[in-house]
Amino acid sequence: MNSLKKGILFATFITSLSFVGCSNDNNDDELMGNWVKKSAFDGPARSSAASFVIGNYAYVATGYTGDEYLKDLWVYNSTGDYWEQKADFTGVARSSASAFELNGKGYIGLGYDGTNKLKDFHEYNPATNVWEQKAEFAGSARYSAVGFQVGGKAYFGTGYDGNYLKDFYQYNQTSNTWNQVNGFSGNKRRNATVFVINDKAYLGTGVNSGSNQNDFWQFDPSTDLWTKKRNLDDSESDHDTYSIVRSNATSFTMNGLGYIACGEGSKTIWEYNPSTDLWKERTSLEGSSRTDAVGFAINDRGFVLLGRSGSSYFDDAWEFKPLEEQNDYDN
């Protein structure tokens, strides 16, 4: 073979290797999941809002615009894809509050009003569109705590009161009282996130003294026991390397799987399977990366909306469809 032919073959071989390398590095092409843009939030763009879901509707309240703390309440109709404004939250305007739904009522408490850490607590009745102040939270005034309802029991826990916290309190709706629940042996933190699958709550992420936390926990309300699960930066022989560690993320549950999305400097989303205790990366949010967003699920449909990136605040809303391939042309 002459030198010219040898040179052509060598160049072709090198070019082929380059294409293979580029294809292997482009992991996004291999990820499942599609994001569909929904009706933009009708209120001001904001971060650090609170949300709860009652029946077929999601409610979003409070938050911070970058200039103003808010107390407005909006409800999202996922069937019609539109927003309606409801009665303003009756506490002081705030951000970084915590919320949950319990027996058809919505609850918001805690947070930060720009000057003070808060511990007041309020109930919303969607049937009457009326707020009512309830018993003050029994723990310290704080913000960036988690709120969740699991197995018919509702909780606030973790957060920041000048120190990072790891305590949890259960709210009794009948007696309108709070009781401390012991037993969480995870790390202190604020800005964690929680999702609920089959009457178990799963808590992870968050930050403690500038360090993002990697531990991940399951809570069983029937026994009040916390069980440690696989760390969020774990890589073992039966699993691809992953890192879900972050703060200020959001989460939701669909079809028996949990999802953690976005967070500081991120737009990635990870899917958790409780039967295997394993995570799988899905297609990243097609909107801007963001922190302090809102996430919720309505009838096994998952949504991410609002949040901020630096000094930019968002009012866009996105629905995640995990079983579809990404489509760049449907938004």
Side-chain angles (χ1 to χ4, degrees):
M1 183 180 292
N2 62 40
S3 59
L4 177 59
K5 289 182 178 179
K6 288 181 179 179
I8 292 173
L9 287 173
F10 181 75
T12 302
F13 176 69
I14 293 298
T15 303
S16 299
L17 285 179
S18 298
F19 280 126
V20 169
C22 289
S23 177
N24 287 342
D25 288 340
N26 191 4
N27 292 328
D28 284 344
D29 290 343
E30 302 171 6
L31 301 181
M32 283 294 294
N34 187 40
W35 293 89
V36 178
K37 200 168 190 179
K38 308 304 288 186
S39 175
F41 181 68
D42 279 12
R46 68 192 67 193
S47 69
S48 303
S51 70
F52 50 82
V53 174
I54 301 177
N56 297 321
Y57 301 93
Y59 295 80
V60 176
T62 67
Y64 182 62
T65 67
D67 298 307
E68 181 183 4
Y69 291 89
L70 302 167
K71 58 189 300 182
D72 51 344
L73 172 69
W74 298 82
V75 59
Y76 178 61
N77 184 314
S78 60
T79 302
D81 188 28
Y82 63 87
W83 293 88
E84 289 184 281
Q85 189 167 10
K86 296 295 184 179
D88 280 358
F89 174 67
T90 49
V92 297
R94 69 193 64 197
S95 70
S96 303
S98 303
F100 52 72
E101 176 275 338
L102 182 62
N103 296 322
K105 305 287 182 63
Y107 294 87
I108 293 178
L110 314 182
Y112 180 70
D113 67 2
T115 303
N116 302 305
K117 304 172 187 69
L118 305 168
K119 61 185 300 184
D120 56 332
F121 183 62
H122 303 258
E123 175 190 87
Y124 177 71
N125 186 335
T128 60
N129 191 31
V130 170
W131 289 92
E132 180 181 353
Q133 187 162 0
K134 292 294 187 177
E136 199 171 67
F137 176 64
S140 58
R142 67 188 66 190
Y143 62 86
S144 298
V146 296
F148 61 95
Q149 183 263 113
V150 57
K153 299 178 180 179
Y155 303 86
F156 281 164
T158 68
Y160 184 77
D161 68 355
N163 294 299
Y164 294 85
L165 302 165
K166 56 182 289 187
D167 53 344
F168 281 85
Y169 295 80
Q170 181 190 343
Y171 177 66
N172 186 311
Q173 189 180 51
T174 302
S175 62
N176 187 32
T177 57
W178 291 91
N179 297 297
Q180 188 166 6
V181 178
N182 296 311
F184 179 63
S185 54
N187 298 331
K188 299 175 181 179
R189 71 195 71 209
R190 62 170 172 83
N191 296 111
T193 193
V194 173
F195 54 79
V196 174
I197 304 173
N198 296 330
D199 288 336
K200 303 286 194 305
Y202 295 83
L203 180 148
T205 70
V207 63
N208 180 353
S209 301
S211 177
N212 287 338
Q213 301 301 293
N214 69 351
D215 52 338
F216 186 60
W217 295 83
Q218 178 198 76
F219 176 67
D220 185 342
S222 66
T223 59
D224 285 342
L225 292 178
W226 291 89
T227 302
K228 193 173 188 303
K229 310 302 283 185
R230 185 188 300 261
N231 281 349
L232 296 178
D233 59 357
D234 199 282
S235 59
E236 297 184 0
S237 59
D238 62 345
H239 195 278
D240 294 335
T241 300
Y242 61 87
S243 180
I244 307 154
V245 174
R246 63 193 68 191
S247 67
N248 305 75
T250 192
S251 61
F252 52 85
T253 300
M254 289 192 293
N255 301 310
L257 301 171
Y259 296 86
I260 290 179
C262 301
E264 289 288 351
S266 177
K267 58 192 294 184
T268 63
I269 181 168
W270 289 81
E271 177 186 274
Y272 178 72
N273 187 331
S275 65
T276 61
D277 192 25
L278 296 177
W279 294 86
K280 182 179 294 185
E281 188 174 10
R282 295 301 191 183
T283 303
S284 295
L285 176 69
E286 292 180 41
S288 300
S289 61
R290 65 195 64 201
T291 187
D292 296 319
V294 168
F296 53 75
I298 306 173
N299 296 327
D300 281 325
R301 295 174 60 194
F303 300 85
V304 171
L305 56 150
L306 309 181
R308 67 177 176 84
S309 178
S311 60
S312 297
Y313 289 77
F314 303 120
D315 61 5
D316 54 342
W318 297 82
E319 180 177 358
F320 181 60
K321 297 178 178 289
L323 301 181
E324 294 183 4
E325 292 185 358
Q326 182 182 5
N327 184 348
D328 291 329
Y329 305 101
D330 59 358
N331 292 307

